[in-house]
Amino acid sequence: MGLTKSEIFTKEQNQIALIAKVLGHPARIAILDYLIRLKSCVCGDLVKQIGLAQPTISQHLKELKKVGIIKGTIEGTSVCYCINQENWDTIKSMLNKFLNKNTTDNCC
Amino acid sequence: MGLTKSEIFTKEQNQIALIAKVLGHPARIAILDYLIRLKSCVCGDLVKQIGLAQPTISQHLKELKKVGIIKGTIEGTSVCYCINQENWDTIKSMLNKFLNKNTTDNCC
DNA sequence: TCTATTTATTGCAATATTACGATAAAAGGA
DNA sequence: TCCTTTTATCGTAATATTGCAATAAATAGA
């Protein structure tokens, strides 16, 4: 069916999975890596930097924007994309909360 | 095409994306949530706990096992699945390294 | 206004993912 | 040995994702 049964999971589980899913592509990790290193950025640079076609990059940027990790502000003919620091911090603490649930040893 | 161009990204970017991808499904997050809470677990319990069909759970367990987050030891007729603590720690530190790259404010 | 530049959208092909019924495989107990 | 229990695998349908060519949309400058 290819259709995730979101309704049987908790809100938190769905949120974490949604974020992880967006981070689950090397192009999007590469885009974030690049944005994190810079203070600002335009899509044109990303096309050269990442090495995928412009529509593909645009699509990945859309995904990242959808969950609020990045934001784009129109700057003349081009668009300045950057990390949405506030949201990114929220997302990071959500992920950290999940990652730090497990502290002690398990069985086996 | 549906085919990720892994070859144009760094090893680290691919690794992070691969792990994030596996974490990118609420069923797998729910499974990990459950395994983390317990000391051990059998798939039978998971089928009841999660609420997906047994083959579906088995498939998700396979995904988690593929990247080493969990391990399964045969225990009679059933299988004991648990967190692979050593690997999980490695994965957590990899993700944390990525999440903590960004510390200061960006532009815009 | 016309043109160049930059980014978004559309449409499509190829492949991947999700889910599950049916069935196999493996092991314990009657 | 036969049956039961438990988990894995196969096969398949429905949907999602990835990537890009073509094209649209928006704006700056000549």
Side-chain angles (χ1 to χ4, degrees):
Chain A
M1 292 141 188
L3 208 163
T4 298
K5 286 192 167 178
S6 310
E7 68 278 8
I8 67 170
F9 304 108
T10 69
K11 194 181 164 188
E12 203 191 24
Q13 286 166 345
N14 280 309
Q15 276 181 333
I16 288 173
L18 187 68
I19 291 163
K21 196 175 180 181
V22 169
L23 296 178
H25 194 290
R28 293 193 285 267
I29 296 295
I31 288 171
L32 290 177
D33 266 346
Y34 189 65
L35 287 181
I36 283 168
R37 274 213 315 278
L38 298 181
K39 292 222 167 282
S40 72
C41 167
V42 287
C43 190
D45 271 11
L46 283 171
V47 172
K48 270 182 274 174
Q49 275 289 324
I50 311 292
L52 289 170
Q54 182 268 323
T56 310
I57 296 292
S58 187
Q59 212 171 319
H60 283 306
L61 288 168
K62 200 177 171 185
E63 292 287 305
L64 290 167
K65 217 161 123 183
K66 201 179 66 187
V67 295
I69 300 180
I70 65 170
K71 59 183 173 184
T73 26
I74 297 163
E75 201 107 354
T77 339
S78 60
V79 179
C80 166
Y81 275 108
C82 8
I83 301 289
N84 186 327
Q85 196 60 48
E86 203 182 340
N87 290 357
W88 184 226
D89 285 345
T90 308
I91 285 167
K92 282 198 289 187
S93 68
M94 267 185 59
L95 289 177
N96 272 319
K97 195 180 155 196
F98 174 74
L99 294 176
N100 293 328
K101 271 182 181 171
N102 163 256
T103 46
T104 51
D105 256 310
N106 282 61
C107 73
C108 312
Chain B
M1 292 146 185
L3 209 163
T4 299
K5 286 192 166 177
S6 310
E7 67 279 8
I8 67 171
F9 305 107
T10 69
K11 195 181 163 188
E12 204 191 24
Q13 286 166 344
N14 280 310
Q15 275 181 332
I16 289 174
L18 187 68
I19 290 162
K21 196 175 181 183
V22 169
L23 295 178
H25 194 290
R28 294 193 285 267
I29 296 295
I31 288 170
L32 289 178
D33 266 346
Y34 190 64
L35 286 181
I36 283 168
R37 274 213 315 281
L38 298 180
K39 291 222 169 279
S40 73
C41 165
V42 286
C43 190
D45 272 11
L46 283 172
V47 172
K48 270 183 271 174
Q49 276 288 324
I50 310 292
L52 289 170
Q54 182 268 323
T56 310
I57 296 292
S58 188
Q59 213 170 317
H60 284 305
L61 288 168
K62 200 177 170 184
E63 291 289 303
L64 289 167
K65 215 161 124 185
K66 200 180 66 187
V67 294
I69 300 181
I70 64 170
K71 60 182 171 182
T73 26
I74 297 163
E75 200 106 357
T77 338
S78 62
V79 179
C80 166
Y81 274 108
C82 8
I83 302 288
N84 186 328
Q85 196 60 48
E86 202 182 341
N87 290 357
W88 186 225
D89 285 344
T90 306
I91 285 167
K92 281 198 289 186
S93 69
M94 268 186 58
L95 289 176
N96 272 318
K97 196 180 155 196
F98 174 73
L99 294 176
N100 294 328
K101 271 182 182 173
N102 161 257
T103 46
T104 51
D105 257 310
N106 282 61
C107 73
C108 313

